Amino acid sequence: MNLGEIFSDAIRYPFSDITNFLIVGVLAVLASLTEVVAPLGIDNGFVYLLAVIIGFIFSLIIAGYSLDVIKKGIEHSNDFPAIDLEANLINGIKAIIISIVYLIIPIIISFIIMALFGVIGAGIDHVVASLGIASIIIIILFILFGIFEMIALAKFADTRDLGAALNIGAVLEDAQKIGIVKIIVFVIVVMIVALLATIIISIFAFIPYIGLIIATLLLGAFALLFASKALGLLYSNA
């Protein structure tokens, strides 16, 4: 599929089943519970801690559910996956593990690069001279591993094999099959859509009490379903 077809299908997908769309929206609200209750001005440490715990748990559930949506995209299915809180939670934890691994690797390499360029423990003049080149390399490194992480999550969604998702060589091979340029354009478009959703959510947040809830319910669900379905369709080209 070309990118036009991918995004066209992904935009329509959230609205193909309004009931399940709203259910996903409720999960998104629960995952953002700390932000939702903040405007209420509740001055109770226990209540806030409870909101943090509930929000964290449902964030993992949302992460796991997004993998099922990615899988539907890979299969070119417009069905909504069934919500299984236990399975979604477990897969969400695995998704976080994948994300952490693909974050730790560039962090470690970045420290090695800074050491090689003499940035760590060097004088200020040398740091200024070396930091520019090192920063460019590090930024490129994080972009690449961000792409690898995205493809790894899609690979895990497809195979449910954590080892395969952490196999950087296999993930790189999948990325090459899809096309690096295609992936970069894909990421840019998804980021633009996410930015627009964030702006709209910010506008809704000015509505007292219910504004943020409505925005998270509708736009949070849309962003999740759109991005996950689009990633699945993209990965189906691997």
Side-chain angles (χ1 to χ4, degrees):
M1 297 181 71
N2 61 47
L3 289 177
E5 292 170 328
I6 287 173
F7 288 121
S8 177
D9 284 2
I11 287 173
R12 292 195 301 268
Y13 176 67
F15 308 110
S16 63
D17 187 332
I18 298 301
T19 300
N20 278 307
F21 171 72
L22 293 176
I23 291 174
V24 173
V26 172
L27 294 179
V29 170
L30 291 171
S32 306
L33 199 56
T34 52
E35 289 81 7
V36 170
V37 302
L40 300 178
I42 299 175
D43 187 17
N44 186 306
F46 174 76
V47 173
Y48 184 77
L49 177 61
L50 187 62
V52 169
I53 293 172
I54 293 173
F56 177 70
I57 292 172
F58 276 92
S59 293
L60 293 175
I61 290 172
I62 279 285
Y65 184 76
S66 71
L67 294 172
D68 292 341
V69 178
I70 293 170
K71 178 67 172 179
K72 291 294 183 183
I74 295 171
E75 296 171 346
H76 292 259
S77 170
N78 286 323
D79 295 332
F80 274 58
I83 294 173
D84 183 332
L85 295 181
E86 182 180 355
N88 293 152
L89 178 62
I90 293 171
N91 286 327
I93 293 171
K94 293 178 180 179
I96 295 300
I97 291 172
I98 293 170
S99 296
I100 290 173
V101 169
Y102 280 89
L103 177 63
I104 288 176
I105 293 174
I107 289 176
I108 293 173
I109 297 176
S110 295
F111 276 108
I112 295 173
I113 290 173
M114 287 190 291
L116 291 175
F117 275 85
V119 175
I120 298 176
I124 187 64
D125 291 339
H126 182 76
V127 168
V128 172
S130 302
L131 194 56
I133 298 175
S135 296
I136 293 172
I137 296 174
I138 290 170
I139 289 171
I140 294 173
L141 183 68
F142 272 91
I143 291 173
L144 285 175
F145 272 88
I147 291 173
F148 293 159
E149 177 195 350
M150 182 180 70
I151 301 302
L153 288 171
K155 192 174 190 67
F156 177 70
D158 187 34
T159 64
R160 290 297 192 266
D161 184 341
L162 191 59
L166 296 177
N167 184 335
I168 298 178
V171 169
L172 176 59
E173 184 178 337
D174 286 345
Q176 290 174 330
K177 288 179 182 177
I178 297 169
I180 299 298
V181 173
K182 188 175 185 178
I183 294 173
I184 291 173
V185 174
F186 172 87
V187 171
I188 292 172
V189 174
V190 170
M191 288 178 64
I192 291 172
V193 173
L195 177 61
L196 291 174
T198 302
I199 292 172
I200 296 172
I201 288 174
S202 300
I203 294 172
F204 268 92
F206 285 103
I207 302 174
Y209 304 116
I210 64 169
L212 188 58
I213 295 175
I214 295 173
T216 305
L217 179 73
L218 300 178
L219 293 171
F222 172 79
L224 169 74
L225 294 168
F226 164 78
S228 300
K229 181 63 181 298
L231 177 55
L233 291 172
L234 178 74
Y235 186 79
S236 68
N237 293 316

